[in-house]
Amino acid sequence: MRLTAEQQAMAAGSAGEAAAQAIAMLLAVGKAVEAERLIPVVSAHIVIDAVTLGEPGLRQVESLARAGGRFVVPTTINAVACDRRADPATYSGMARRQHEVLQAGIAMGGLATCSCNPIGQGVLPSFGQSVAWSESGTAPYVNGVLGARSNREGATSLASALTGLTPDYGMHRPESRRGDGLIDIAASVSGVDGFGLLGLHVARRWPGRIPVLRGLPPPQLDEWIAFASSFAIAGAAPMFHAIGLTPEAPSLAAAFPDGAPSPERVTDEDLRAERGRLESETGETIDMVVLGCPHASLQQLAEAARRFDGRRVKAGIDCVLHTSQGAYALAQAAGHVAALTQAGARLTVGEMCYGCDFRDSRFPDGARVATNSGKLLFVAPGSQGARLRLADAAACIEAAVSGRLARYNR
Ligand code: F3S
């Protein structure tokens, strides 16, 4: 790889031991993918949770902090394995260990956003800018919706945070971002649940391809995030286009400068079949309602509070909303947290969730769960033996109140 003089000096230790280790990691990756150079990133999103990293990974984060590592670009931190509202003095076991490593991340300059929904945290790149974001669901949003550039990063995002650099390959290269297949959306798609289901279906049916969607109804922000996170969890592609909606596909001709291929189609029947394939529960009785995977936004918390409308969660039902500290603080100021708590709902803040196999948040054996999250529908049955059904937020709240989830009629 060709390095600038400054990068060579960094590799030789001019910016300290941690930066030298980080650039060595980036060079190793760059060589493996045959990148020719390192390019700057404007931000990083890092995963330093105690579940994903395991003890060796946690020790590495601490060792980089001890070696004087400092993040040189704005760096947000993913959801962690401890309740961010709790007094750290009360932590034990994994939560205590997580707290220690989080402190190392903060000492290096990490922003303790503690959310798997970094899009909602406000540190966003502009069109064409490169970033190094981990958490699988973020890359399709960064690339597709924003027109910024990120590969699906892992530990390399930490190295990018310490150096402000990433190897120039994959999504950072214009030639890698072209659409691969035209898909007409002939289904009616709406809501976080509907866009999540569509993301799962497209990723499964056209694996690894960068799909170009035509006819997609304009999604709201939470719907985009639901689509991107589901699309990412069910497949390996880091990007999609939507004609007339995403910045690199303003028209069919722009998406396919050499001529559009014959379209394939997604119909309502396809999505009904996808739902049937993924749902692991068919009965109406439920034990739990889980909203907020990825972490619920202020708007989602407000909607849930409004839908309770003074009613309470039925005795014996566990109704959980996962959210970030930022959304929680805003919802608290607006009175939504009080409304949800008075309704008997439970909020987790900054924490990993039931989809993460996070020990403290495992589903009870055989729990019958209603959720509006396509991502959770995809990951939870396989990893935890829970029995899930997908429904929109309104139906989920009704289920929390009544204990029953009517058959989905879309
Ligand atoms: Fe977040 Fe857990 Fe879902 S950490 S994206 S709420 S699997």
Side-chain angles (χ1 to χ4, degrees):
M1 292 175 73
R2 293 192 315 270
L3 299 190
T4 64
E6 190 184 352
Q7 291 166 359
Q8 285 176 16
M10 193 186 285
S14 68
E17 174 55 28
Q21 284 180 30
I23 205 167
M25 181 194 290
L26 296 175
L27 289 173
V29 171
K31 280 179 190 147
V33 298
E34 299 183 346
E36 293 185 356
R37 58 183 186 146
L38 298 173
I39 56 171
V41 294
V42 298
S43 67
H45 179 71
I46 59 172
V47 169
I48 55 169
D49 72 73
V51 177
T52 307
L53 290 194
E55 189 53 34
L58 298 178
R59 279 202 290 270
Q60 190 194 15
V61 175
E62 291 175 314
S63 132
L64 288 166
R66 270 197 308 275
R70 291 292 175 270
F71 298 150
V72 297
V73 290
T75 298
T76 47
I77 295 174
N78 207 54
V80 289
C82 60
D83 178 359
R84 291 286 288 150
R85 284 171 304 174
D87 177 354
T90 65
Y91 290 149
S92 62
M94 181 185 283
R96 184 184 299 164
R97 187 73 188 103
Q98 176 68 82
H99 178 68
E100 291 166 359
V101 174
L102 181 57
Q103 298 316 300
I106 292 170
M108 287 191 279
L111 301 166
T113 46
C114 300
S115 183
C116 52
N117 182 358
I119 292 118
Q121 312 305 308
V123 185
L124 294 176
S126 299
F127 179 83
Q129 290 184 318
S130 284
V131 299
W133 282 23
S134 57
E135 161 54 51
S136 64
T138 63
Y141 186 91
V142 166
N143 291 305
V145 180
L146 298 180
R149 301 175 175 195
S150 182
N151 288 314
R152 291 175 63 145
E153 300 281 349
T156 42
S157 61
L158 187 59
S160 292
L162 288 162
T163 60
L165 300 166
T166 193
D168 183 18
Y169 77 105
M171 288 297 100
H172 302 290
R173 307 287 312 165
E175 64 272 19
S176 306
R177 302 171 65 84
R178 292 194 193 116
D180 180 13
L182 177 61
I183 300 167
D184 278 335
I185 306 302
S188 52
V189 182
S190 65
V192 161
D193 56 315
F195 277 91
L197 182 64
L198 178 67
L200 296 175
H201 179 71
V202 170
R204 182 186 64 77
R205 199 159 147 198
W206 293 281
R209 279 166 47 179
I210 296 180
V212 179
L213 311 178
R214 181 167 63 180
L216 193 68
Q220 296 184 7
L221 176 61
D222 289 328
E223 294 169 335
W224 267 139
I225 292 170
F227 177 84
S229 63
S230 297
F231 175 74
I233 198 72
M239 185 171 189
F240 63 91
H241 299 282
I243 304 250
L245 298 175
T246 57
E248 289 168 70
S251 65
L252 189 62
F256 295 106
D258 302 326
S262 307
E264 300 181 79
R265 292 178 93 222
V266 173
T267 63
D268 284 323
E269 186 49 44
D270 291 329
L271 294 185
R272 268 195 292 276
E274 190 70 45
R275 171 189 304 282
R277 212 179 61 78
L278 288 166
E279 284 189 331
S280 45
E281 173 62 25
T282 54
E284 293 194 351
T285 305
I286 55 115
D287 307 302
M288 290 186 73
V289 172
V290 180
L291 303 178
C293 170
H295 282 169
S297 65
L298 168 65
Q299 190 176 332
Q300 288 174 292
L301 296 177
E303 181 189 351
R306 180 173 57 78
R307 289 197 180 279
F308 273 112
D309 193 23
R311 298 172 301 163
R312 285 191 55 79
V313 174
K314 185 177 182 191
I317 305 287
D318 189 10
C319 177
V320 189
L321 295 97
H322 300 297
T323 192
S324 64
Q325 290 168 269
Y328 181 85
L330 292 169
Q332 195 168 35
H336 306 317
V337 169
L340 288 167
T341 308
Q342 280 158 17
R346 194 161 64 81
L347 287 98
T348 75
V349 178
E351 268 188 279
M352 303 173 74
C353 71
Y354 288 100
C356 302
D357 261 347
F358 171 28
R359 187 184 56 193
D360 296 350
S361 284
R362 288 187 67 84
F363 284 115
D365 275 349
R368 294 162 296 185
V369 182
T371 183
N372 67 344
S373 166
K375 179 171 180 176
L376 194 63
L377 182 71
F378 186 85
V379 296
S383 62
Q384 299 195 344
R387 293 150 57 183
L388 272 78
R389 286 186 52 199
L390 186 68
D392 63 21
C396 284
I397 298 299
E398 290 308 313
V401 170
S402 68
R404 299 187 76 76
L405 182 62
R407 286 311 304 165
Y408 209 84
N409 55 7
R410 283 195 206 167

